[in-house]
Amino acid sequence: MVEKALGLIEVRGFLGAVVVADAALKAANVSLLNVETVKSGLNTVQLVGDVSAVRSAVEAAVEIAQDQPYYLHSHVIARLDSQTDSILNPIRKEENKEFPKVESVSLKEESVLESLDPVEEAEVITEPLQSAIDEVVVEDIVSGVEDAIVEEIVSDIVTEEEISTERKQKYSEEELNKFKVVELRSIAYRENKINLSKKEIKFANKQLLIQALLKLKS
C-alpha cells in the first residue's frame, strides 16, 4: 500500500459503519480495507486508494453522517509510509486464516491413500481423476456455448437500444435538480465520458455538475 492514501472514519455502532462505508465507496474509486471494532461499540472504517479519491470518499461520507449521532471523527493519511502500513498487517493475516483448512483436508486424504495397497491406490486415484477430467471438458464446452449465446443476445439488445435511444440525453434536467451536490458528484465520478476531471468534479457546484451531466448521451 506504499504511495497510497488511507482514509479513516470513526463511528459508533455497526449501522454507522455501514452507512459511511457505503457513502464513501459510492462517491469515489476507493477500496474498503476493513471495519475495525474496538471497545464501547466504536468502529473505524478503513479506506485505501489514490489520495484524491480517498479525500473525496471521506468528504462525501462525512457530509452525509456529520449531523448524525453516530459520527465521531475522520482523517486522511496521504502516501502512507511502509512502516505505518505494518500496523495493518494483522488485518491481512486474519483474512488468510482459512487456507490451513484446505491443507488439513489434503493431508487427511494422503494418509488414507498411504494405507492402501498399490493396486487399490491406483484404482482409487485413476477413476476419479478421469471422471474429473471428463467433467472439466464437458463444463468447458457447455460454458463456451453459453457464452456465445449470451454474447449474441446481448449484442442484439445493445444494437436495438442504440438505434432506439440514439443521441438521447442520459439524464433530464428535472431529474438532476432533485439531487444534492454530493449525490451529483457521486454520479459524475461514475461517468467515464463526462467532460470534467475528478478534481473539477470535487470542487464543482450544482449547476456546473448538472450542465456536464446533461451533455451525456445514453
Side-chain angles (χ1 to χ4, degrees):
M1 194 166 41
V2 180
E3 297 185 355
K4 291 286 186 179
L6 173 67
L8 303 171
I9 308 172
E10 190 172 63
V11 296
R12 290 191 185 93
F14 185 69
L15 172 63
V18 172
V19 172
V20 298
D22 182 68
L25 293 171
K26 288 178 178 177
N29 185 22
V30 295
S31 299
L32 178 63
L33 177 63
N34 188 42
V35 177
E36 185 157 352
T37 303
V38 295
K39 294 181 180 179
S40 303
L42 298 181
N43 293 287
T44 302
V45 178
Q46 302 173 357
L47 307 164
V48 292
D50 295 334
V51 178
S52 59
V54 171
R55 289 189 187 278
S56 299
V58 172
E59 288 175 2
V62 171
E63 186 171 349
I64 290 177
Q66 62 185 350
D67 296 329
Q68 301 300 324
Y70 51 75
Y71 172 72
L72 295 175
H73 306 286
S74 67
H75 187 67
V76 175
I77 301 176
R79 293 179 293 278
L80 191 66
D81 188 88
S82 59
Q83 297 182 70
T84 307
D85 183 37
S86 63
I87 299 175
L88 305 175
N89 285 337
I91 298 173
R92 300 190 183 97
K93 292 178 181 178
E94 289 292 332
E95 293 173 351
N96 295 328
K97 279 187 176 179
E98 296 182 359
F99 289 101
K101 295 180 181 179
V102 179
E103 295 177 359
S104 63
V105 173
S106 62
L107 290 173
K108 183 178 179 180
E109 291 176 350
E110 288 178 3
S111 63
V112 173
L113 292 176
E114 288 175 359
S115 65
L116 298 175
D117 293 334
V119 176
E120 293 178 348
E121 183 178 350
E123 293 176 355
V124 172
I125 295 176
T126 304
E127 293 181 1
L129 181 60
Q130 184 61 44
S131 176
I133 293 173
D134 293 340
E135 289 178 2
V136 170
V137 173
V138 172
E139 287 178 0
D140 288 344
I141 294 173
V142 173
S143 176
V145 173
E146 289 177 348
D147 290 344
I149 294 173
V150 171
E151 184 177 355
E152 183 177 353
I153 293 173
V154 171
S155 178
D156 293 341
I157 294 173
V158 170
T159 302
E160 292 177 0
E161 289 181 351
E162 288 177 350
I163 295 173
S164 60
T165 61
E166 185 178 4
R167 299 188 63 78
K168 182 179 178 182
Q169 281 187 331
K170 191 169 185 178
Y171 303 98
S172 67
E173 186 172 358
E174 181 180 357
E175 177 187 16
L176 294 174
N177 278 316
K178 296 178 181 178
F179 293 106
K180 297 179 180 178
V181 175
V182 65
E183 294 172 332
L184 290 171
R185 286 175 181 162
S186 179
I187 295 171
Y189 278 124
R190 293 197 297 266
E191 293 295 343
N192 295 327
K193 296 183 179 180
I194 194 167
N195 59 352
L196 294 175
S197 65
K198 289 187 177 180
K199 185 175 182 180
E200 291 173 335
I201 293 172
K202 178 181 177 181
F203 296 102
N205 57 26
K206 184 173 183 178
Q207 189 59 36
L208 181 60
L209 290 168
I210 291 176
Q211 291 177 358
L213 290 170
L214 287 175
K215 294 179 181 180
L216 297 176
K217 302 296 181 180
S218 58

